[in-house]
């Protein structure tokens, strides 16, 4: 009898705990964050925690923003006006039109949703708006939808993300580097000034860093010797953003101190530094004039040089600035060297169809093209001029060793029985345009390891996935934009010469991976189409084709 009150209390406690458990668990799984556009809440976006970061449904974000979405196989396309984002399942970078944007994590397609970490999701959608000329501002706002008061994580979404990233990012550790001026660290409170983005550009005479910000006041800045420090009250750089795109000229250090986030551009090599702010949109600009390793050699004949990208004037009336790092143009004394690579060879015949072997045709095209390119005053070398087998990596190793200015790998396409297509395709190494491009890359990425045996398809898949991740590396950007330009020149020239040009596309080709110069892969045509195979083998067509491609090489280098 005496036990009764205790027993009741136990039951009551048990039920209370059960209720709490039941009320909390579904909220954790189905909770949502509010998405705001220019401070106006649009609605809730499903979130889930993967233990490291908070993942959000980017498809739902797109729908709330009334963007056009297209889901194809491994790819999600998001459109706004004339611009396009392309996400690939498990790839840590997205395409914004032709520009590659690295992310903190890879999107994952699961349970009918595309999940991406909350910061990257805002970053890439914001970039899409910016590309379309819109100043719209996206953010996570206010209290979470359906959030229980017990679920503190959902109450304060950004904080959780900060903590998660702080755990893995050394850049967030609040250690004040020696280069941080005392005036910025200790000058007490500062009116709100939020860092929104850091962008870089290289011009003829300078490197420019642009800090976009928002707030009541300009960021505080301070210059000591060859260091410039800028303080913000909010916002921070992601891990990739703390890597300088020009590490030999300038480094980036970050520190948090007394409620300020301080970015220091340090170890600046070069002459004069200029720091100034501009309105609409608010930004602080740091110009580093004549970085030392960009001092150009004595003037040389420039007839065979690509013109350097023209700087865009930093004016209030011209808010659009280059958002990518323009490629370096280093003058050389001799004519540009084009390395031409005939795909496959020796024990590896490549595609075989309609009585033709790809390796033979590739070599014929490579020789023809070499002749036509040479005739136009360029230097040319072939990776193979006989029927020998070269590994994929050896081909670009040669191009790198010879310090080539362009790498062209020549192949012929093939389709499985029952599928038909024709025409020439030009590929650059990047995230795949579509499933066909991806499948082609998987076929071309096959490498013969033994005398007879080829690599297992699992190995090839693994290698290709690895390539997708490498593409997330920012250092690739300049090369990709150059390679795209080469591809477009070759494509247009082919069209002019009445070659049946099918498309310029992207796929992670292993043979292009190691190239340190602009590199393209040409699929001359489809061997599996009888009439096309016959045409591809005709010497007169080969000559016409080679002339067209050589013309494209010339317009690329000479800008004509
Ligand atoms: Zn091939």
């Amino acid at each position: 009898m005496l036990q009764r009150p205790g027993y009741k209390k136990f039951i009551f406690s048990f039920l209370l705990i059960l209720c709490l458990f039941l009320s909390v668990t579904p909220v954790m799984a189905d909770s949502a964050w509010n998405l705001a556009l220019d401070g106006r809440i649009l609605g809730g976006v499903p979130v889930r925690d993967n233990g490291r970061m908070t993942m959000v449904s980017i498809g739902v974000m797109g729908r709330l923003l009334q963007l056009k979405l297209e889901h194809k196989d491994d790819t999600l396309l998001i459109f706004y006006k004339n611009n396009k984002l392309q996400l690939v399942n498990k790839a840590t970078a997205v395409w914004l039109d032709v520009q590659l944007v690295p992310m903190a994590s890879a999107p994952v397609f699961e349970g009918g949703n595309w999940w991406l970490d909350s910061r990257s999701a805002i970053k890439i959608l914001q970039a899409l708006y910016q590309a379309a000329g819109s100043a719209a501002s996206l953010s996570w706002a206010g209290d979470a939808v359906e959030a229980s008061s017990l679920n503190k994580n959902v109450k304060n979404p950004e904080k959780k993300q900060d903590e998660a990233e702080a755990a893995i990012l050394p850049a967030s550790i609040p250690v004040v580097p020696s280069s941080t001026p005392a005036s910025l660290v200790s000058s007490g409170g500062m009116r709100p000034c939020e860092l929104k983005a850091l962008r870089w550009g290289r011009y003829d005479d300078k490197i420019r860093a642009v800090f976009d910000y928002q707030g009541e006041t300009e960021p505080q800045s301070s210059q000591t010797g060859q260091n410039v420090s800028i303080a913000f009250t909010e916002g921070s750089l992601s891990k990739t953003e703390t890597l300088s795109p020009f590490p030999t000229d300038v480094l980036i250090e970050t520190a948090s101190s007394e409620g300020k986030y301080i970015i220091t551009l340090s170890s600046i090599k070069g002459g004069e530094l200029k720091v100034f702010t501009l309105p609409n949109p608010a930004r602080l600009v740091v110009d580093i004039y004549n970085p030392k390793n960009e001092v150009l050699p004595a003037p040389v004949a420039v007839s065979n040089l690509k013109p350097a990208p023209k700087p865009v004037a930093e004016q209030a009336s011209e808010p659009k600035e280059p958002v990518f790092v323009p490629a370096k143009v280093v003058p050389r004394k001799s004519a540009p060297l084009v390395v031409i690579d005939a795909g496959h060879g020796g024990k590896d015949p490549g595609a075989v169809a309609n009585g033709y072997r790809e390796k033979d045709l590739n070599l014929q095209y490579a020789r023809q093209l070499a002749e036509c390119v040479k005739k136009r005053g360029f230097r040319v070398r072939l990776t193979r001029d006989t029927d020998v087998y070269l590994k994929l990596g050896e081909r670009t190793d040669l191009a790198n060793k010879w310090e080539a200015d362009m790498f062209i790998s020549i192949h012929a396409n093939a389709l499985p029985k029952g599928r038909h297509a024709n025409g020439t395709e030009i590929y650059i190494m990047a995230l795949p345009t579509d499933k066909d491009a991806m499948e082609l890359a998987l076929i071309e990425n096959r490498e013969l390891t033994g005398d007879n045996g080829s690599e297992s398809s699992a190995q090839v898949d693994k290698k290709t996935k690895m390539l997708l991740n490498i593409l997330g590396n920012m250092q690739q950007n300049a090369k990709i934009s150059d390679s795209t330009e080469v591809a477009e020149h070759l494509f247009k020239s082919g069209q002019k010469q009445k070659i049946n040009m099918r498309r310029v596309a992207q796929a992670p080709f292993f043979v292009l991976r190691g190239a340190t110069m602009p590199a393209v892969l040409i699929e001359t045509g489809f061997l599996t189409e009888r009439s096309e195979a016959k045409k591809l083998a005709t010497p007169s067509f080969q000559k016409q084709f080679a002339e067209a491609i050589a013309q494209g090489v010339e317009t690329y280098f000479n800008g004509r």
Side-chain angles (χ1 to χ4, degrees):
M1 280 296 175
L2 283 173
Q3 287 172 343
R4 279 212 171 218
Y7 180 68
K8 265 189 182 163
K9 203 173 173 184
F10 171 73
I11 293 281
F12 179 72
S13 307
F14 177 75
L15 285 176
L16 186 71
I17 289 167
L18 187 71
C19 285
L20 279 175
F21 181 77
L22 288 176
S23 68
V24 170
T25 312
V27 172
M28 290 292 277
D30 299 323
S31 59
W33 286 2
N34 277 324
L35 177 67
L37 177 65
D38 292 328
R40 190 170 53 87
I41 291 175
L42 299 177
V45 176
V47 303
R48 68 176 200 188
D49 201 322
N50 71 358
R52 201 171 69 87
M53 293 173 148
T54 303
M55 308 294 274
V56 299
S57 164
I58 192 156
V60 172
M61 290 174 78
R63 282 194 286 280
L64 286 173
L65 294 165
Q66 301 184 326
L67 301 175
K68 192 181 146 213
L69 303 173
E70 248 178 63
H71 175 189
K72 273 196 298 190
D73 307 314
D74 256 10
T75 307
L76 176 70
L77 296 170
I78 305 176
F79 299 88
Y80 180 63
K81 294 187 180 168
N82 292 323
N83 301 86
K84 172 178 86 169
L85 275 175
Q86 184 186 354
L87 287 82
V88 178
N89 194 19
K90 293 176 186 162
T92 50
V94 291
W95 279 96
L96 172 57
D97 302 319
V98 297
Q99 187 203 344
L100 201 59
V101 181
M103 299 186 292
S105 69
V108 183
F109 182 68
E110 249 174 50
N113 264 315
W114 281 84
W115 299 97
L116 180 61
D117 75 89
S118 58
R119 283 206 169 175
S120 298
I122 291 280
K123 175 182 164 177
I124 61 170
L125 289 172
Q126 189 80 64
L128 176 64
Y129 275 107
Q130 210 174 340
S134 160
S137 158
L138 292 174
S139 58
W140 299 114
D143 284 0
V145 180
E146 294 177 62
S148 133
S149 60
L150 290 170
N151 194 345
K152 289 191 184 111
N153 289 341
V154 178
K155 269 265 176 188
N156 194 349
E158 285 303 332
K159 182 146 185 275
K160 179 173 168 54
Q161 192 72 18
D162 279 345
E163 285 163 2
E165 287 197 356
I168 52 165
L169 303 183
S172 305
I173 298 169
V175 172
V176 181
S178 55
S179 55
T180 306
S183 63
L184 288 189
V185 177
S186 58
S187 62
M190 170 182 164
R191 281 190 294 161
C193 178
E194 184 184 359
L195 171 68
K196 302 302 274 186
L198 169 57
R199 295 172 289 136
W200 292 89
R202 188 191 275 280
Y203 301 83
D204 286 348
D205 58 338
K206 63 178 174 267
I207 287 174
R208 165 168 287 175
V210 180
F211 297 84
D212 293 304
Y213 68 90
Q214 223 170 45
E216 291 174 20
T217 184
E218 289 180 1
Q220 294 174 353
S221 68
S222 155
Q223 191 182 333
T224 28
Q226 291 305 90
N227 299 322
V228 178
S229 296
I230 302 123
F232 300 89
T233 58
E234 279 164 81
S236 60
L237 298 177
S238 71
K239 189 185 177 188
T240 38
E241 284 166 335
T242 60
L243 299 173
S244 168
F246 309 109
T248 52
D249 301 309
V250 54
L251 297 175
I252 304 170
E253 294 173 48
T254 61
S256 299
S257 173
E258 297 186 15
K260 288 179 202 165
Y261 182 73
I262 301 166
I263 300 172
T264 301
L265 304 183
S266 65
S267 310
I268 296 175
K269 296 202 184 59
E272 203 189 345
L273 291 174
K274 269 190 190 159
V275 183
F276 55 98
T277 54
L278 289 166
N280 302 323
R283 56 217 195 273
L284 181 142
V285 180
V286 179
D287 279 341
I288 303 166
Y289 283 90
N290 291 320
K292 265 180 199 139
N293 77 336
E294 275 305 288
V295 175
L296 302 177
V300 292
V302 291
S303 65
N304 277 336
L305 294 175
K306 247 166 75 66
K310 284 206 182 68
V312 177
E314 183 74 41
Q315 291 167 358
S317 59
E318 227 178 283
K320 271 204 120 181
E321 291 139 352
V323 287
F324 58 88
V325 177
K328 244 191 265 183
V329 177
V330 182
R332 309 164 69 106
K333 285 209 191 289
S334 47
L337 171 65
V338 180
V339 167
I340 300 169
D341 170 53
H344 311 278
K347 65 186 177 187
D348 173 16
V352 179
N354 290 309
Y356 300 104
R357 292 183 302 188
E358 187 192 342
K359 64 170 186 177
D360 301 328
L361 289 175
N362 292 345
L363 185 55
Q364 289 163 15
Y365 276 88
R367 286 174 178 157
Q368 276 285 359
L369 181 58
E371 206 173 290
C372 294
V373 170
K374 209 180 281 173
K375 222 169 57 193
R376 287 175 155 78
F378 299 96
R379 293 180 297 139
V380 183
R381 291 188 81 159
L382 296 171
T383 54
R384 69 176 179 97
D385 195 12
T386 53
D387 184 19
V388 291
Y389 174 72
L390 284 174
K391 283 182 152 187
L392 294 173
E394 287 170 339
R395 299 167 188 264
T396 39
D397 282 352
L398 285 172
N400 292 340
K401 196 178 84 188
W402 295 334
E403 295 182 3
D405 299 281
M406 186 189 287
F407 179 80
I408 302 177
S409 188
I410 296 181
H411 289 256
N413 220 325
L415 281 172
K417 267 211 170 75
R419 291 195 55 199
H420 298 277
N422 54 60
T424 301
E425 295 183 319
I426 300 180
Y427 281 91
I428 64 159
M429 196 196 90
L431 298 178
T433 307
D434 53 29
K435 207 178 170 202
D436 283 348
M438 188 65 197
E439 273 169 8
L440 178 66
L442 285 171
I443 292 168
E444 299 286 17
N445 286 349
R446 244 171 248 160
E447 195 145 28
L448 302 181
T449 44
D451 277 339
N452 305 309
S454 65
E455 266 182 310
S456 76
S457 58
Q459 276 172 304
V460 176
D461 284 2
K462 207 175 137 202
K463 217 159 71 177
T464 307
K465 287 231 173 78
M466 183 190 82
L467 278 188
L468 285 174
N469 280 322
I470 289 168
L471 289 169
N473 180 349
M474 203 142 162
Q475 302 299 326
Q476 293 269 341
N477 276 12
K479 204 186 93 193
I480 286 173
S481 85
D482 267 6
S483 299
T484 307
E485 213 184 317
V486 171
E488 278 164 3
H489 275 275
L490 303 190
F491 188 85
K492 275 187 203 138
S493 179
Q495 278 182 321
K496 265 190 210 150
Q497 315 285 320
K498 306 276 182 276
I499 306 288
N500 176 15
M501 301 303 284
R502 190 159 186 256
R503 63 173 184 170
V504 171
Q506 303 156 190
F509 287 107
F510 203 77
V511 68
L512 302 181
R513 178 218 158 170
T516 55
M517 70 294 304
V520 296
L521 184 144
I522 302 179
E523 296 280 351
T524 50
F526 289 81
L527 271 191
T528 41
E529 299 295 320
R530 178 162 297 162
S531 59
E532 185 147 279
K534 218 171 152 190
K535 184 178 77 180
L536 286 172
T538 313
S540 62
F541 177 77
Q542 290 181 359
K543 187 135 204 301
Q544 185 194 348
F545 187 94
E547 284 291 351
I549 298 299
Q551 181 67 49
V553 170
E554 187 174 2
T555 59
Y556 171 79
F557 281 115
N558 295 353
R560 272 189 265 135

